[in-house]
Amino acid sequence: MRYRLLSALVASAALAVDAAPAAAATYDYIVVGSGPGGGPLAADLARAGYSTLLIEAGGDEGDNPTYAELATFNEAANDEATRWDFWVKHSDDPAREMKFKHTTWDTGDGTFYIGLDPPEGAKHLGIQYPRAAVLGGCAMHNAGVCSLPQEDDWNIIVNKTGDTSWEAHKMRKYLTRIEKNEYLATGVSGHGYNGWLATSRGDAGWVADDSNPGTKIFKKMAEVLGLDPKHAVEMANGDILGADEPKDTTNAFYNMVQHGGKDGKRSSPNNYVRATLADPKKYPLTVQLRTLVTKVLFNTTTSGLPRAIGVEVMEGASLYRADPKHIPGTKGPISQIFAAKEVIVSGGAFNSPQILKLSGIGPAAELNKFNITVIKDLPGVGEQLGDNYEGSLLALGKAPVPIPGLVTALFRTPSAPTKKRNIFTWCGTFSFEGFWPGFPTDYGPNEFECALVHMAPKSQAGTVKLLSADPQDVPDINFRFFEHGGEKDLQELVEAANMMREAWQAGGDAVRPFEELHPCPGMQGDKRAANCTDALQAEYFKEQAYSHHATSTCAIGADNDPLAVLDSKFRVRGVVGLRVVDASAFPVVPGAFPSLPTMMLSAKAFEDVLADAGKLSGGSR
């Protein structure tokens, strides 16, 4: 049964959360979006003494066990209480799109059909890409996996902008600032112990049992990756966030870290925002829920660059059409709220570019098409959409593989273009094949999978484009997977699957043979079947790859880059008083999981905002 917060009038921070600000109120800062970028930033600004309004389109599910317990993340991502359904495309090829096995259709009777043979009259929706409209954003429905970007993912900003504050070794301080480490002894260098974000990991002691088929697979994986299986226990407890962990060019195993406490409770911006609201120091933070920002307001009447002075909002629940609870024709009252210093947009890789475009910032031709007054022609808004390619090796064993945890590794495949690791994998008794309403498929206790995340994709050719000037409308999203360098990326995914398949065979007769479900359906054991050529596997990954780490649609870039949207301080180019602080700011996809990097990015943005505080006057409305 779905849990509902019955009343906002509970003895918690939720009481303050539901209080709407007075009409035409003015704050020092307005932050739009409460996810990993915006939520922590709003709390930090309030704790620094600035009156801050945090606007969130969804509600607060912080007391809801479905969201508070990390183990129920699949339920959280499926929950209509917070889910926004974006129906995306992976390419411009309609025939290829119709090969995605989890294509979703609206049957017209309130249900979805998932698959390639829809009932007559069903409406094609596309590929589901769920986002979370809730206090805390997508950090409230994800699996909480923590990893750091490769050093080059930070250093690329230095190379593009000349801003040395982005150097990789300097970025670690933001991890130590926000982290509350619960899995190491206090004092281990490179970690934080007093921050707002709890980090923890499970027990990898099962690796010491040499009779366990999972241990045998683990040790064979070590051999395949060029590591010494004699050090299995040590490797299984590797610290993926460690300051002295093997760097980006070294194959290594880790014990998976999550942003949650050792009690299994999720730790997210929701906790930090609520703690800030409840603090006896009464920090000047106001949170307005169930409010859709329709555009940023600008002063264009004075000399100089246009200046952001506030936002226009529509108040009400489920106003955005991505919300499955949205009732067609529903609107809410519209009002304006003003910012004396800055407006900070943190809506994520889909909604931040949409908000900028609705506000008149984006490609002029696209804005003119919808009669939107151009405030600043910025061709890069909504461009360069990137994501990790994800796929999996999934099979059914003869019996369950008896391991209570996950095998996690970062490694380099033979054809990787550089010496850097290009694959993040975690293997265990689970099934995950992407997103569709009701995911994932439970294949029973014998299921075994190695999920594969491809890092540093060579193609960031996706786009987020308006379908109309209506802020309740959902944009057109096309990832254009594998458009550039696709053959090389596919080869790397195939190599990773082949390496994992080889390791599985060490599991022994207790669990073998593994009957593969994909990418080589029906294959048993290590004998390469006719349907398991590298070419057929590449075709499978091209058609069935999925993703959920969208970035780069408002990217930081150089002054002479026509697609640069932000400078190195997150400031939107060509205007004053406006920043974007979320995963859309990354020039490239940051490693394998962007949640923690985005929280670190938020902590850096706080410093940059403070550095500019006082430089901007209140200005004319």
Side-chain angles (χ1 to χ4, degrees):
M1 178 180 296
R2 182 188 301 159
Y3 173 98
R4 290 288 192 185
L5 183 63
L6 296 179
S7 173
L9 301 178
V10 294
S12 74
L15 176 63
V17 165
D18 276 332
T26 299
Y27 298 84
D28 289 327
Y29 295 96
I30 296 174
V31 180
V32 181
S34 66
L41 179 54
D44 283 340
L45 289 169
R47 288 170 180 264
Y50 294 100
S51 62
T52 305
L53 173 66
L54 177 61
I55 301 176
E56 168 57 49
D60 178 15
E61 299 287 342
D63 294 327
N64 183 337
T66 299
Y67 298 84
E69 301 288 340
L70 261 177
T72 54
F73 63 90
N74 282 337
E75 292 180 43
N78 273 296
D79 190 3
E80 286 191 2
T82 66
R83 199 182 78 224
W84 275 3
D85 290 331
F86 291 91
W87 304 105
V88 308
K89 297 186 286 290
H90 284 172
S91 74
D92 289 316
D93 181 359
R96 175 176 151 192
E97 295 299 288
M98 287 299 137
K99 294 179 181 178
F100 188 75
K101 294 180 180 179
H102 297 115
T103 296
T104 304
W105 309 72
D106 182 352
T107 63
D109 63 3
T111 63
F112 295 110
Y113 169 83
I114 316 297
L116 303 179
D117 188 22
E120 185 176 353
K123 177 185 177 183
H124 178 250
L125 295 173
I127 300 167
Q128 189 195 37
Y129 202 115
R131 301 282 83 186
V134 65
L135 185 65
C138 290
M140 287 293 284
H141 79 175
N142 65 6
V145 179
C146 291
S147 67
L148 296 173
Q150 296 182 338
E151 291 191 349
D152 284 350
D153 295 342
W154 296 124
N155 291 334
I156 190 174
I157 300 177
V158 182
N159 297 335
K160 284 177 175 288
T161 67
D163 186 343
T164 58
S165 69
W166 284 94
E167 290 174 350
H169 70 279
K170 296 177 181 177
M171 292 302 296
R172 175 162 283 274
K173 70 178 180 181
Y174 301 112
L175 171 64
T176 62
R177 180 177 301 172
I178 69 176
E179 185 186 22
K180 182 183 178 182
N181 188 288
E182 296 187 3
Y183 64 89
L184 293 171
T186 302
V188 175
S189 176
H191 282 283
Y193 300 88
N194 300 301
W196 59 266
L197 185 73
T199 58
S200 63
R201 65 186 188 188
D203 180 9
W206 57 271
V207 178
D209 180 6
D210 287 336
S211 67
N212 188 323
T215 300
K216 296 176 182 179
I217 292 172
F218 181 97
K219 289 189 172 184
K220 183 61 177 179
M221 282 178 62
E223 289 183 20
V224 171
L225 299 182
L227 303 170
D228 187 348
K230 293 179 181 179
H231 302 295
V233 174
E234 178 184 349
M235 290 189 294
N237 283 290
D239 180 13
I240 198 168
L241 302 182
D244 58 351
E245 67 95 13
K247 295 303 179 185
D248 300 336
T249 58
T250 306
N251 292 349
F253 286 97
Y254 301 99
N255 191 339
M256 181 178 282
V257 174
Q258 294 175 289
H259 53 81
K262 56 187 178 182
D263 59 357
K265 300 292 185 182
R266 180 184 296 276
S267 181
S268 80
N270 180 286
N271 305 92
Y272 190 35
V273 169
R274 288 166 63 108
T276 303
L277 290 168
D279 196 289
K281 294 180 181 179
K282 299 187 181 301
Y283 296 115
L285 175 64
T286 302
V287 178
Q288 183 168 348
L289 300 176
R290 303 175 185 89
T291 300
L292 183 69
V293 171
T294 60
K295 64 181 177 180
V296 178
L297 303 172
F298 288 92
N299 176 7
T300 59
T301 61
T302 58
S303 60
L305 298 175
R307 181 176 168 212
I309 58 170
V311 294
E312 180 184 271
V313 301
M314 184 185 297
E315 297 178 42
S318 303
L319 293 174
Y320 196 54
R321 295 190 183 105
D323 191 325
K325 304 183 301 302
H326 175 75
I327 299 173
T330 301
K331 295 184 179 295
I334 293 177
S335 60
Q336 294 181 339
I337 311 171
F338 295 99
K341 290 186 177 295
E342 294 188 23
V343 175
I344 301 167
V345 177
S346 301
F350 299 158
N351 290 106
S352 285
Q354 181 181 19
I355 291 171
L356 292 188
K357 289 181 179 183
L358 292 171
S359 308
I361 298 177
E366 183 179 351
L367 303 186
N368 290 333
K369 177 181 177 181
F370 299 109
N371 296 317
I372 297 172
T373 300
V374 178
I375 300 295
K376 174 61 179 177
D377 179 12
L378 274 185
V381 176
E383 301 296 313
Q384 303 185 98
L385 172 63
D387 211 328
N388 298 115
Y389 299 127
E390 297 186 53
S392 61
L393 181 71
L394 176 62
L396 302 179
K398 186 171 70 175
V401 178
I403 59 174
L406 298 170
V407 177
T408 304
L410 275 79
F411 63 95
R412 179 187 182 278
T413 61
S415 70
T418 70
K419 293 182 179 180
K420 293 190 300 181
R421 305 181 294 204
N422 58 328
I423 299 292
F424 184 117
T425 188
W426 66 103
C427 305
T429 53
F430 66 92
S431 122
F432 182 71
E433 303 165 279
F435 295 94
W436 63 91
F439 81 97
T441 300
D442 182 357
Y443 293 100
N446 294 4
E447 62 189 10
F448 193 75
E449 175 173 319
C450 284
L452 307 171
V453 176
H454 182 275
M455 298 184 290
K458 298 170 189 62
S459 180
Q460 288 194 192
T463 56
V464 177
K465 294 187 178 295
L466 295 179
L467 286 175
S468 76
D470 184 348
Q472 294 180 270
D473 216 348
V474 180
D476 177 76
I477 301 165
N478 189 338
F479 281 89
R480 294 188 174 85
F481 275 179
F482 305 109
E483 190 157 305
H484 305 298
E487 290 185 2
K488 294 180 179 179
D489 283 343
L490 288 166
Q491 182 181 359
E492 293 166 35
L493 283 166
V494 170
E495 289 172 348
N498 288 341
M499 294 165 77
M500 297 302 99
R501 185 183 294 110
E502 179 183 351
W504 284 14
Q505 309 316 314
D509 292 340
V511 295
R512 291 180 58 199
F514 288 100
E515 182 175 351
E516 196 165 320
L517 301 182
H518 56 70
C520 299
M523 179 174 168
Q524 294 191 14
D526 56 355
K527 294 182 179 180
R528 296 290 292 273
N531 69 338
C532 200
T533 64
D534 285 358
L536 286 173
Q537 289 188 82
E539 181 181 357
Y540 170 84
F541 283 121
K542 184 174 184 178
E543 295 173 355
Q544 306 304 327
Y546 48 87
S547 65
H548 59 307
H549 303 153
T551 70
S552 308
T553 50
C554 299
I556 294 171
D559 292 342
N560 61 356
D561 180 357
L563 294 182
V565 177
L566 311 177
D567 68 9
S568 67
K569 306 299 183 184
F570 305 92
R571 296 174 293 212
V572 177
R573 293 178 176 277
V575 298
V576 178
L578 180 63
R579 300 185 207 238
V580 176
V581 179
D582 56 31
S584 71
F586 287 110
V588 296
V589 182
F593 291 89
S595 186
L596 178 59
T598 303
M599 297 178 204
M600 294 167 63
L601 177 146
S602 177
K604 186 182 190 309
F606 170 61
E607 287 188 348
D608 293 333
V609 172
L610 284 191
D612 282 348
K615 293 182 180 180
L616 299 174
S617 63
S620 171
R621 294 181 189 169

